[in-house]
Amino acid sequence: MRRWRTLLAILAAVVTAATMSPSPAAASDPVTPYVVGGTRAAQGEFPWMVRLSMGCGGALYSPTLVLTAAHCVSRTGANTSITATLGVVDLQSSSRITRRSNYVYRAPGYNGNGDDWAFVRLASPVTGIATLPIVTSTAYDSGTFTIAGWGAASEGGSQQRYLLKATVPFVSDATCNSSAMYGGDVIAAEEICAGYTSGGVDTCQGDSGGPMFRQGASGWVQVGIVSWGDGCARPNKPGVYTQVSYFSAAIRSAATSLGG
């Protein structure tokens, strides 16, 4: 059974309301790392990171499109219920930028097993913030990747106020699908694994839909979308990510159809 790295909508709504309504007590709360094994990202370090109000992450693909996971959204069609927050590492910052959605596009082949990507279209463009290019080949689908998000610190943990980051190494399809790890549950052609055999560093609940990225020839490029995993940061249970290179043509085609 796939354990998605997202939250129940009702919990996400409560968390979002809390993060969007600062209080004097909240302002003085100590900072706790939540991307498991992570450290706090610097303001402006990953400007294209997006927090979505249903309790998922995403990356700004274009001024009007956020690339996220299919399991974070219900269906393709008009949707004005999602709020995207971006431009900050602190979700309570007065500098945060928010946009409402007007449409959702979910990968047409998605059935809960693969094809885990989607777009959230924003009602108005975001200007002055860098977007995150996607890879168009497998050239960058190995090495060391960066992950980031506002997700939980541990399995069942709460969401966070500050963006955390960490690095994780590539895990080959053969290793990830071995009996010691996922026993064949990973779809090798369209999913990519990353993490440590010893565990300890990983994305977690609430990070779903966020990007996994690395340096390319001209800067950061997105190679994965946070999808699923067995728990969080467990030994021999790396994170499983949608392999963007496999879907790059479909993603670009969808973006064009959505005006992005």
Side-chain angles (χ1 to χ4, degrees):
M1 176 180 170
R2 295 187 168 214
R3 293 186 173 91
W4 303 119
R5 296 197 159 171
T6 187
L7 300 175
L8 294 175
I10 188 168
L11 175 58
V14 172
V15 169
T16 302
T19 57
M20 296 309 166
S21 303
S23 67
S28 61
D29 285 346
V31 178
T32 305
Y34 283 77
V35 163
V36 181
T39 57
R40 199 199 296 193
Q43 177 61 36
E45 188 173 6
F46 309 125
W48 21 259
M49 288 295 300
V50 180
R51 181 66 176 168
L52 298 171
S53 57
M54 79 286 276
C56 281
L60 193 65
Y61 175 92
S62 76
T64 56
L65 294 175
V66 177
L67 183 61
T68 187
H71 74 264
C72 287
V73 299
S74 59
R75 61 179 180 82
T76 294
N79 187 321
T80 60
S81 69
I82 301 168
T83 298
T85 301
L86 63 167
V88 293
V89 297
D90 176 2
L91 293 178
Q92 293 184 11
S93 170
S94 59
S95 300
R96 67 183 182 265
I97 297 168
T98 59
R99 292 288 188 276
R100 298 288 285 189
S101 63
N102 66 9
Y103 194 86
V104 164
Y105 179 94
R106 192 170 72 174
Y110 178 73
N111 63 2
N113 189 36
D115 293 282
D116 195 14
W117 65 272
F119 275 121
V120 173
R121 190 173 68 189
L122 307 178
S124 61
V126 177
T127 58
I129 292 183
T131 56
L132 180 61
I134 64 169
V135 295
T136 56
S137 75
T138 60
Y140 299 108
D141 289 353
S142 61
T144 301
F145 308 115
T146 298
I147 51 176
W150 289 272
S154 58
E155 293 179 46
S158 59
Q159 301 298 277
Q160 67 168 356
R161 170 179 169 178
Y162 297 95
L163 180 67
L164 271 290
K165 63 177 181 177
T167 57
V168 286
F170 169 73
V171 177
S172 71
D173 291 337
T175 300
C176 203
N177 259 333
S178 68
S179 59
M181 291 192 177
Y182 288 114
D185 288 342
V186 175
I187 305 172
E190 58 181 79
E191 294 178 327
I192 183 171
C193 300
Y196 295 92
T197 302
S198 58
V201 181
D202 200 4
T203 47
C204 200
Q205 279 71 47
D207 290 322
S208 275
M212 181 172 74
F213 47 97
R214 57 162 289 176
Q215 286 290 336
S218 313
W220 294 110
V221 289
Q222 183 170 357
V223 300
I225 299 169
V226 179
S227 185
W228 63 281
D230 191 353
C232 302
R234 295 181 185 180
N236 289 315
K237 296 297 181 183
V240 184
Y241 301 80
T242 302
Q243 192 163 350
V244 170
S245 61
Y246 181 84
F247 294 104
S248 61
I251 289 171
R252 287 182 294 165
S253 176
T256 299
S257 73
L258 293 169

